[in-house]
Amino acid sequence: MVAGVAAAREAATVPDPLPVLWLCGPAGVGKSTAAWELFAGMPGAGHVDIDQIGMCFPEIPADPGRTVLEARILGRVVANFRAAGASCLIVSGYIDSHRGIHTEHLPHAALTVLRLRCDQPELRRRLEFRANPAEDREAALREAIVLDRTGLPYPCLDTTARTPAEVLDIVRDRWGRHTGRPAGPWPDPVSAPGEILWICGPAAVGKSTVGWEVAQLSRQAGHTTGFVDLQQIGFLHSGPDHHRLQAANLVAVWINFHGYGAQRLVVVGAVDQPSQVRRYTEALAPAKVTLCRLHASPERLGDRIRRRGRGEGPPIAGDVLRGQPERVLKKAHAAAVTEAEALEGAGLGDMRVDTDDHSAAELARLIGWPPVSLSS
């Protein structure tokens, strides 16, 4: 298996680098599905979708596609997973279709790259079947052509005539097994100032949708603004303290977004104890963190959980509701109601927003930036 030559040289200077598998290619070739299933069946592994650590807009002319930004963030994220005791890290996502992976920013990674591809007619069929309104199908088809022509030095797996299960078997056979490793040491702490709005609340209350709308409004007002889903930057099977890993990865995202020009960041994710909030705010200092808690009635939570179960909304890694039967959704609804009641009792958050009678766009305008004090 061929690894990035520059990354291999860099990794040789770092004691015990973390094995990292990067599945790359355009949308629709099957990289995200293969990466998630590989992670799900590999105890001790970590997982990151590169899209989830690079959402800082607008992009700057010096870094079209934000691939350098993402490589810088991934470099620190790899070090954090290594410190948390991950046996390996599985990465999925696009790369610079002309230059490839910016391995100079990944000194803690023993990198293996596998490019997935698909013939144009089949790729178009898959993209149309996905019917993702946020996906630029023509751009994905153009990127596939460029990747086929540029001759980047990565082994390639053709998924055109293969099922997802067949692709997974091939990737698993090539990647092999990776044993556990001791945790630590953690990288030196870093910090950056700025304004961070953290939107929390029970499952299915609409955190991601509302948070994305808030970030959009901030960008439209002319502010370079970042967005991150906390769950998406902390996937690790083992490790007793996932909040430490998530906090470290959140800091890695923020300091690089700040270096990119951002003064604002929207974070979405669950938190249920003041001690957890303190851990994140202390890690992010001197940035100012405002915690906004969304609330919904049991009826609204039930409706939103059923919609998630039907597959409405964008597909994201780790969605435990999508495609689930009614009995599972009922249990999820009961758990979400209990969670909402506990958060109400604890009074968690600097502000509380009732979501029942508002659209996501209306809620974003209500919250505003800087966030205004609300109670309802």
Side-chain angles (χ1 to χ4, degrees):
M1 190 183 285
V2 179
V5 175
R9 284 200 298 264
E10 292 283 351
T13 67
V14 176
D16 195 25
L18 184 69
V20 176
L21 171 65
W22 191 325
L23 301 179
C24 63
V29 295
K31 59 187 182 298
S32 296
T33 300
W36 178 259
E37 293 299 327
L38 184 64
F39 159 73
M42 187 173 290
H47 171 65
V48 170
D49 187 316
I50 203 70
D51 293 350
Q52 296 292 334
I53 62 173
M55 288 186 280
C56 187
F57 302 95
E59 65 184 33
I60 60 177
D63 186 18
R66 301 178 303 283
T67 56
V68 174
L69 172 67
E70 290 165 347
R72 289 180 183 276
I73 295 170
L74 184 61
R76 287 199 67 93
V77 166
V78 167
N80 292 336
F81 272 99
R82 177 170 161 259
S87 61
C88 62
L89 181 64
I90 300 158
V91 178
S92 61
Y94 66 92
I95 61 173
D96 186 320
S97 53
H98 295 280
R99 288 189 52 195
I101 294 171
H102 304 281
T103 53
E104 66 272 19
H105 300 300
L106 306 175
H108 297 277
L111 182 64
T112 297
V113 184
L114 181 62
R115 179 170 73 89
L116 274 57
R117 72 164 306 279
C118 183
D119 290 347
Q120 288 277 307
E122 172 62 12
L123 185 58
R124 182 177 291 277
R125 185 195 69 80
R126 293 181 188 180
L127 294 171
E128 290 175 349
F129 178 78
R130 282 154 56 131
N132 183 353
E135 194 167 64
D136 188 335
R137 299 173 193 169
E138 297 306 317
L141 291 164
R142 290 194 298 270
E143 182 187 6
I145 293 172
V146 172
L147 284 168
D148 279 344
R149 291 177 177 173
T150 51
L152 293 172
Y154 310 133
C156 182
L157 171 60
D158 194 320
T159 69
T160 304
R162 293 186 168 105
T163 66
E166 290 170 337
V167 171
L168 175 62
D169 285 343
I170 294 170
V171 173
R172 185 182 286 121
D173 288 344
R174 292 194 184 188
W175 181 231
R177 293 185 174 274
H178 296 272
T179 58
R181 54 208 294 126
W186 289 85
D188 293 335
V190 291
S191 61
E195 297 284 336
I196 298 176
L197 174 64
W198 184 345
I199 297 180
C200 68
V205 75
K207 300 183 287 293
S208 294
T209 305
V210 173
W212 183 255
E213 290 287 341
V214 172
Q216 290 279 62
L217 288 179
S218 178
R219 291 194 289 269
Q220 291 165 8
H223 303 282
T224 300
T225 306
F227 175 89
V228 64
D229 183 329
L230 196 63
Q231 180 189 27
Q232 297 295 315
I233 60 174
F235 288 124
L236 177 63
H237 285 306
S238 61
D241 189 359
H242 72 280
H243 286 292
R244 182 170 188 179
L245 174 63
Q246 287 186 164
N249 285 344
L250 181 57
V251 170
V253 169
W254 172 237
I255 61 166
N256 282 282
F257 282 7
H258 183 268
Y260 199 72
Q263 288 293 326
R264 296 176 170 186
L265 174 67
V266 178
V267 179
V268 299
V271 65
D272 55 22
Q273 297 175 20
S275 61
Q276 293 173 359
V277 177
R278 283 195 299 273
R279 163 164 283 186
Y280 289 95
T281 56
E282 290 172 359
L284 289 163
K288 178 185 177 183
V289 180
T290 301
L291 188 65
C292 173
R293 176 170 55 88
L294 303 184
H295 180 74
S297 66
E299 294 76 20
R300 294 292 189 191
L301 288 174
D303 178 60
R304 291 166 186 170
I305 285 172
R306 285 189 292 273
R307 281 196 249 154
R308 284 265 300 277
R310 292 195 297 267
E312 295 183 20
I316 57 173
D319 189 340
V320 296
L321 299 177
R322 195 178 187 88
Q324 293 298 321
E326 183 65 22
R327 59 180 177 78
V328 174
L329 298 180
K330 285 182 176 179
K331 288 183 179 179
H333 178 219
V337 171
T338 300
E339 184 183 6
E341 291 173 347
L343 291 171
E344 282 282 88
L348 197 69
D350 301 302
M351 53 192 294
R352 172 199 182 274
V353 179
D354 196 307
T355 67
D356 275 12
D357 299 318
H358 300 285
S359 68
E362 290 169 340
L363 290 166
R365 289 192 293 271
L366 279 171
I367 293 168
W369 201 305
V372 297
S373 296
L374 292 176
S375 62
S376 54

